[in-house]
Amino acid sequence: MVDYARVQKELVECNRDKDISGVSIELDNGDDLSHLSGRITGPIASPYEGGIFQIDIRLPGGYPFEPPKMQFITKVWHPNISSQNGAICLDILKDQWSPALTLKTALLSLQALLSSPEPDDPQDAVVAQQYLRDYPTFVGTARYWTDTFAKRASVGTEEKVQKLVEMGFPEVLVRKTLDIVGGDENLALEKLCTG
Amino acid sequence: MSDFTYLSSSDDDDNYNYSDYKQHEDEDDDEDEEELHDGFENDDDDEWNTSSSSSSSQVITKESLLAAQREDLRRVMDMLNLSEQHARTLLIHHRWDVQKVLAVLVEKGKDRLYAEAGVTVLDRKCLTSQSSSEVTCIICMEDISVEEVTEMDCGHCFCNNCWTEHFIVKINEGQSRRIRCMAHKCHAVCDEAVIRNLVSARDPDLAERFERFLLESYIEDNRMVKWCPSVPHCGNAIRVEDDQYCEVECTCGKQFCFGCSSEAHSPCSCLMWELWTKKCKDESETVNWMTAHTKPCPKCHKPVEKNGGCNLVSCICGQPFCWLCGGATGRDHTWTSISGHSCGRYKEDQNQKAERAKRDLYRYMHYHNRYKAHIDSFKLESKLKESTQNKISILEGKDTTLRDFSWVTNGLYRLFRSRRVLSYSYAFAYYMFGDDLFRDEMTKAEREIKQNLFEDQQQQLESNVEKLSKYLGENYELYDKGKVMEIRMQVINLSVITDKLCKKMYECIENDLLGSLQLATHNIAPYKSKGVEKASEFPIWSTKANIADSHDLTHNTKIDGVTVESNGPSGTQNNESGSSTRKHTNNGSGGSSKKQRADYESGCSTRKRGRREPHGDGLFDLNLPAEVLDKS
Ligand SMILES: [Zn+2]
Ligand SMILES: [Zn+2]
Ligand SMILES: [Zn+2]
Ligand SMILES: [Zn+2]
Ligand SMILES: [Zn+2]
Ligand SMILES: [Zn+2]
Ligand SMILES: [Zn+2]
């Protein structure tokens, strides 16, 4: 059902200039083209600068005529993104989706959303209130979350990932597990072993 | 349960028989039971039989749906010199309100009107005629031959496959009425002819559904049109002309309030009626009251009501007991203790609250009992239909000088009509003079004045209706001619009087009771002497000509063939076939009708009715619901 030919092309096209655009897409689950994993780098001059944010992407059967489902895997403090589960409030992922948009444009929109939140249409009311009433605290919290959750991937995690992958676990699973346990290598190993 | 009747026997006026009430509740389970038809003929009396054209409402069948829709489309097409699809887009956007389209045109201008609705009127159909033979469709990211791409009016061009996919997704999402262009941020609504062609090539069934959605938009997105609420659904919809607050009858016989789609309920407003039916269904109030106000006697276990302030109560069996703990006691008591027991809870508590609840319930019972009594009478009187036929045939056989019996049939109609008004008037009064709706709108004194005014009229109507009922119930077929003529005189007089009184009551409600209120708006369907108006059938044939002279004949015939069946509000339509054989009266000059109807007086008609008779071949058609007839 999903137009896989298009998805293939989208992947190639998106990853071609990922160093410039700051967004990329990978397969999340073997050959399954309907389950992808996106990454965006935190925009410069925002509290998310320096972070790498992982986004779970699921393509519904009607893609691209139905919008892709996207959700932050990396925890993020942002008025339009749930601090609980990473759900995103963005019009183009809902009724404003157009088949002429692509996964790349959607990820770029997310990146833009990180730069300029829309607190009047919040996904996370707590964050939105803080953003509106106490902006400095908001910036502090967002930055702290970025440092805590979005940076380990680029600093220490790659080594941990490599180590665990060498032990025979699939990379995607390793990354996910590391995310879940907050980057603790031993806890991740324990979890991977117990399944 | 029957023990309970003695409870309120102290107050005759408010006497409340619990078991009766219970029974009523049981009956309520059968929804149709309470549906009343007053059984007037609307459109077959010569004196106001400009016939169907006199109705201000019309029945739209699945056959006439297209024609009805086209009428409005025409007006917009002619007004703005637009194609049909653009006119449809505009009308869908404005909920088929032609006046609104006009208003927006005047207020905001053509461009804004079009832009807001997603209409793009452009004549630049040559963008794709470039030199190259292939274009890249940015949706599927393929190079496609120019033969296989389509450009919309907005100038956006994609391949046919992608368009088709897009249309299919949108139709399945139920968005047929405004499928937008695929380009990001383009608000143009897609050309319905393109949708039709592309989708039917892939999925003819879906294309048919698309057509149906477009057609039914006329009903579902339209303030002035409603589905007939009959179950199983007759397949019809009703269109009203200018007053949404009216009562109509579909050609299937279903009578309903156009405002809320429930049974016709004037002089109650829709809100009052909704509250009232909910209240009648809600037995819990009684149950609550029972628990709050009665306690079983510790000796004989009959429920006993607390009377007066102190907490020592006595059962009629003679047993005194403590209201608070229910325990048996002696007789001697003070305000703080009862001899023979000590529960420590003996004090004045919650008396006021309990008293209030009791007052409220009694008040409801007062109105409900009368409401119910008139409905019961109505059901009993509906038996008069058959017995009246017998009486008439006996009289006809007996005396050849008595030829005209229209006074009997008219009298019966009047009786049914008035009964109905009377019963609903009690639900109206319950809310009009209660605390639920208008407490802040009237002072106590004002309310009292209004209530007296209304109750005077109600009582007058009531006594005349009872008299009418009495005369019509007499065995006049056994009387001599002089006596029959006397009864005839009475029936004719009483018919005229009750009609006038009903009319007066509606006027009183509109002008004296509701008219002065500021905050709440309660629209009451106007009183019609002849009962609920039968909607006329929307003429197909006259507009068929328009279809022919409009464009694209082939496609129109296709729409005509669309079956509306499995659709409709409940999805349980059961269409009668062969409706094409119905007669269609041309809806020529309306207008005069309302006046005529208002001038109509009962008892004046001297013509017998010769209308199709759904319930056997009687002399007249009371058009009662089958279940009422079956009961009788
Ligand atoms: Zn395409
Ligand atoms: Zn467009
Ligand atoms: Zn009907
Ligand atoms: Zn209503
Ligand atoms: Zn007793
Ligand atoms: Zn006492
Ligand atoms: Zn006690």
Side-chain angles (χ1 to χ4, degrees):
Chain A
M1 279 294 277
V2 180
D3 183 350
Y4 291 118
R6 164 165 156 160
V7 178
Q8 292 274 20
K9 283 182 189 155
E10 279 201 53
L11 289 184
V12 173
E13 212 275 315
C14 177
N15 293 334
R16 188 180 301 151
D17 61 346
K18 62 180 174 185
D19 294 336
I20 304 162
S21 68
V23 304
S24 63
I25 309 167
E26 286 149 37
L27 289 178
D28 187 87
N29 184 17
D31 300 333
D32 185 0
L33 273 170
S34 69
H35 191 180
L36 308 168
S37 172
R39 278 161 174 254
I40 58 180
T41 53
I44 294 161
S46 80
Y48 311 100
E49 183 174 349
I52 291 179
F53 299 86
Q54 204 189 338
I55 288 137
D56 185 63
I57 305 173
R58 280 162 203 273
L59 303 182
Y63 183 83
F65 303 98
E66 291 170 36
K69 294 184 168 60
M70 294 193 176
Q71 198 166 354
F72 274 83
I73 299 275
T74 311
K75 281 170 87 71
V76 57
W77 189 256
H78 186 284
N80 305 102
I81 301 160
S82 165
S83 59
Q84 302 295 310
N85 59 20
I88 302 161
C89 180
L90 183 63
D91 57 356
I92 62 151
L93 292 179
K94 293 170 189 163
D95 54 334
Q96 293 302 306
W97 171 256
S98 144
L101 295 172
T102 61
L103 296 174
K104 181 180 176 183
T105 50
L107 288 176
L108 287 171
S109 298
L110 286 181
Q111 205 177 32
L113 186 68
L114 289 181
S115 290
S116 38
E118 286 165 31
D120 295 329
D121 182 22
Q123 172 79 31
D124 195 310
V126 179
V127 185
Q129 273 197 358
Q130 193 190 53
Y131 182 94
L132 290 170
R133 288 186 191 159
D134 187 359
Y135 186 71
T137 311
F138 163 79
V139 172
T141 317
R143 195 165 277 150
Y144 176 76
W145 278 46
T146 305
D147 290 341
T148 314
F149 303 113
K151 281 194 176 156
R152 216 180 298 114
S154 54
V155 192
T157 312
E158 286 312 314
E159 291 160 32
K160 295 176 198 164
V161 169
Q162 206 177 347
K163 234 165 147 187
L164 289 165
V165 168
E166 277 164 13
M167 290 164 94
F169 299 105
E171 181 181 337
V172 182
L173 191 59
V174 166
R175 282 188 195 282
K176 234 187 212 162
T177 316
L178 274 170
D179 255 355
I180 291 166
V181 299
D184 188 307
E185 196 182 328
N186 293 326
L187 276 176
L189 180 60
E190 204 174 297
K191 225 175 155 27
L192 284 165
C193 290
T194 54
Chain B
M1 201 69 68
S2 55
D3 298 343
F4 203 65
T5 44
Y6 75 89
L7 273 182
S8 48
S9 56
S10 58
D11 185 352
D12 244 341
D13 197 35
D14 281 329
N15 197 349
Y16 185 65
N17 187 316
Y18 183 73
S19 47
D20 278 358
Y21 183 72
K22 186 76 192 108
Q23 190 187 353
H24 160 70
E25 293 301 331
D26 292 341
E27 283 170 7
D28 252 0
D29 293 345
D30 183 13
E31 262 192 36
D32 298 327
E33 178 106 25
E34 297 295 326
E35 268 183 35
L36 309 180
H37 277 203
D38 42 25
F40 277 87
E41 294 296 313
N42 268 334
D43 52 5
D44 51 354
D45 249 346
D46 263 14
E47 51 193 288
W48 47 317
N49 189 19
T50 4
S51 97
S52 9
S53 62
S54 69
S55 293
S56 59
S57 53
Q58 291 177 308
V59 176
I60 299 171
T61 61
K62 60 170 178 165
E63 288 77 18
S64 57
L65 177 54
L66 181 67
Q69 185 171 121
R70 202 163 289 270
E71 201 176 81
D72 286 348
L73 285 172
R74 270 265 144 228
R75 287 164 72 192
V76 171
M77 286 159 72
D78 293 346
M79 197 163 71
L80 292 162
N81 195 22
L82 276 176
S83 72
E84 180 184 318
Q85 72 137 329
H86 287 142
R88 190 190 326 275
T89 304
L90 276 183
L91 279 166
I92 287 175
H93 186 79
H94 291 291
R95 302 188 63 76
W96 291 94
D97 188 338
V98 178
Q99 297 310 315
K100 183 79 191 298
V101 172
L102 249 180
V104 175
L105 174 70
V106 171
E107 193 185 315
K108 299 180 174 173
K110 217 176 205 175
D111 292 346
R112 286 276 298 282
L113 172 69
Y114 288 0
E116 282 172 12
V119 170
T120 341
V121 190
L122 284 177
D123 282 314
R124 44 184 187 112
K125 270 282 182 185
C126 41
L127 277 191
T128 42
S129 54
Q130 300 147 333
S131 47
S132 70
S133 62
E134 285 198 336
V135 284
T136 305
C137 169
I138 65 155
I139 306 290
C140 58
M141 301 178 173
E142 306 278 354
D143 294 334
I144 310 283
S145 145
V146 286
E147 315 283 296
E148 294 295 313
V149 301
T150 300
E151 183 190 337
M152 283 295 161
D153 289 344
C154 56
H156 293 116
C157 179
F158 305 104
C159 82
N160 290 344
N161 262 334
C162 286
W163 278 122
T164 310
E165 285 293 340
H166 175 64
F167 297 150
I168 288 174
V169 165
K170 291 296 161 189
I171 294 169
N172 282 326
E173 279 176 6
Q175 295 190 27
S176 298
R177 287 155 204 168
R178 34 193 318 108
I179 298 179
R180 296 196 182 277
C181 168
M182 284 195 282
H184 186 44
K185 297 213 162 128
C186 179
H187 294 295
V189 173
C190 293
D191 188 323
E192 61 185 55
V194 173
I195 301 175
R196 193 173 291 130
N197 290 336
L198 288 178
V199 174
S200 59
R202 176 90 60 94
D203 184 346
D205 288 349
L206 195 69
E208 210 163 83
R209 262 173 70 201
F210 170 71
E211 298 293 356
R212 212 167 56 216
F213 278 134
L214 283 192
L215 278 174
E216 290 182 357
S217 151
Y218 186 74
I219 295 170
E220 281 162 13
D221 303 335
N222 195 332
R223 235 163 19 102
M224 304 310 263
V225 179
K226 283 229 167 89
W227 287 111
C228 166
S230 56
V231 178
H233 188 226
C234 63
N236 296 339
I238 306 287
R239 178 170 86 177
V240 296
E241 279 316 307
D242 36 34
D243 187 8
Q244 294 168 65
Y245 301 100
C246 62
E247 294 167 342
V248 288
E249 182 181 320
C250 178
T251 42
C252 74
K254 178 79 179 176
Q255 299 185 338
F256 65 101
C257 166
F258 192 82
C260 66
S261 291
S262 65
E263 69 176 276
H265 53 65
S266 72
C268 279
S269 69
C270 293
L271 175 61
M272 289 173 179
W273 183 244
E274 191 195 330
L275 293 170
W276 180 255
T277 44
K278 220 189 268 162
K279 201 172 184 64
C280 292
K281 283 223 165 81
D282 185 13
E283 204 188 356
S284 64
E285 178 158 359
T286 320
V287 176
N288 287 343
W289 186 86
M290 290 265 292
T291 13
H293 298 276
T294 71
K295 282 247 161 70
C297 166
K299 187 173 159 198
C300 71
H301 304 293
K302 274 183 189 162
V304 178
E305 188 192 359
K306 181 171 185 292
N307 46 2
C310 97
N311 280 313
L312 176 71
V313 285
S314 301
C315 175
I316 45 165
C317 75
Q319 175 67 50
F321 65 97
C322 166
W323 174 255
L324 294 170
C325 71
T329 64
R331 291 219 158 264
D332 295 337
H333 69 287
T334 67
W335 276 98
T336 50
S337 71
I338 312 176
S339 68
H341 113 294
S342 60
C343 68
R345 292 159 60 198
Y346 185 70
K347 53 186 178 316
E348 272 294 289
D349 73 327
Q350 295 193 315
N351 258 342
Q352 275 192 327
K353 227 167 133 188
E355 281 304 310
R356 212 197 125 88
K358 176 176 148 186
R359 245 195 356 260
D360 287 353
L361 183 70
Y362 277 172
R363 183 168 182 276
Y364 167 66
M365 277 153 37
H366 171 88
Y367 287 99
H368 185 269
N369 284 346
R370 281 153 187 78
Y371 162 79
K372 185 68 171 49
H374 285 295
I375 283 180
D376 291 344
S377 299
F378 180 94
K379 285 176 185 164
L380 281 175
E381 284 157 357
S382 63
K383 289 182 194 165
L384 278 176
K385 188 202 164 192
E386 277 108 277
S387 62
T388 298
Q389 284 175 36
N390 291 337
K391 289 177 188 176
I392 289 177
S393 15
I394 290 171
L395 280 176
E396 275 175 338
K398 224 166 74 172
D399 189 340
T400 45
T401 58
L402 285 171
R403 281 284 91 200
D404 173 21
F405 297 103
S406 61
W407 57 274
V408 187
T409 57
N410 283 329
L412 267 184
Y413 294 153
R414 190 53 52 204
L415 177 62
F416 291 137
R417 180 82 193 115
S418 311
R419 274 279 180 230
R420 183 176 176 143
V421 169
L422 258 181
S423 66
Y424 293 135
S425 78
Y426 279 101
F428 167 83
Y430 176 80
Y431 288 107
M432 186 71 228
F433 309 115
D435 284 339
D436 291 350
L437 294 179
F438 305 114
R439 182 167 46 182
D440 304 329
E441 293 240 41
M442 292 179 277
T443 65
K444 230 180 152 182
E446 277 169 349
R447 177 148 76 185
E448 213 157 279
I449 292 169
K450 288 183 177 200
Q451 186 163 1
N452 287 334
L453 184 71
F454 181 76
E455 283 176 356
D456 272 355
Q457 301 202 8
Q458 204 179 25
Q459 275 157 27
Q460 272 188 56
L461 176 60
E462 201 157 37
S463 73
N464 281 288
V465 165
E466 298 305 346
K467 273 189 224 159
L468 182 59
S469 174
K470 181 184 140 260
Y471 283 114
L472 287 169
E474 281 195 35
N475 296 321
Y476 45 78
E477 77 277 16
L478 307 174
Y479 300 168
D480 59 43
K481 188 180 169 186
K483 196 98 184 286
V484 172
M485 291 311 276
E486 203 183 307
I487 289 184
R488 175 177 174 273
M489 217 39 237
Q490 293 286 3
V491 167
I492 290 176
N493 279 340
L494 286 166
S495 298
V496 173
I497 289 170
T498 50
D499 183 34
K500 279 194 171 142
L501 286 172
C502 284
K503 200 181 298 165
K504 221 174 124 194
M505 179 188 271
Y506 274 66
E507 278 164 12
C508 166
I509 288 172
E510 193 182 327
N511 302 326
D512 304 326
L513 303 188
L514 293 172
S516 59
L517 302 181
Q518 300 296 317
L519 300 172
T521 42
H522 284 256
N523 294 293
I524 314 283
Y527 176 67
K528 306 242 164 115
S529 275
K530 295 225 68 179
V532 171
E533 180 183 292
K534 283 190 167 70
S536 61
E537 288 188 37
F538 188 91
I540 309 180
W541 307 117
S542 55
T543 2
K544 268 273 160 70
N546 285 347
I547 298 172
D549 71 37
S550 81
H551 46 279
D552 196 359
L553 233 176
T554 42
H555 132 228
N556 280 320
T557 38
K558 208 170 77 201
I559 300 182
D560 251 356
V562 166
T563 40
V564 195
E565 255 148 59
S566 63
N567 212 268
S570 57
T572 53
Q573 294 187 17
N574 198 356
N575 282 312
E576 359 156 22
S577 55
S579 32
S580 53
T581 58
R582 286 177 190 151
K583 260 184 255 148
H584 298 282
T585 11
N586 203 325
N587 190 4
S589 55
S592 59
S593 52
K594 276 203 173 148
K595 188 80 178 70
Q596 284 176 319
R597 211 169 305 129
D599 290 339
Y600 168 80
E601 297 287 15
S602 65
C604 302
S605 164
T606 51
R607 282 182 57 94
K608 280 182 193 164
R609 290 141 200 276
R611 187 173 169 263
R612 67 198 134 88
E613 171 67 77
H615 309 295
D617 46 355
L619 281 169
F620 47 86
D621 169 20
L622 286 179
N623 199 12
L624 291 165
E627 56 279 2
V628 172
L629 288 171
D630 290 345
K631 289 255 158 70
S632 47

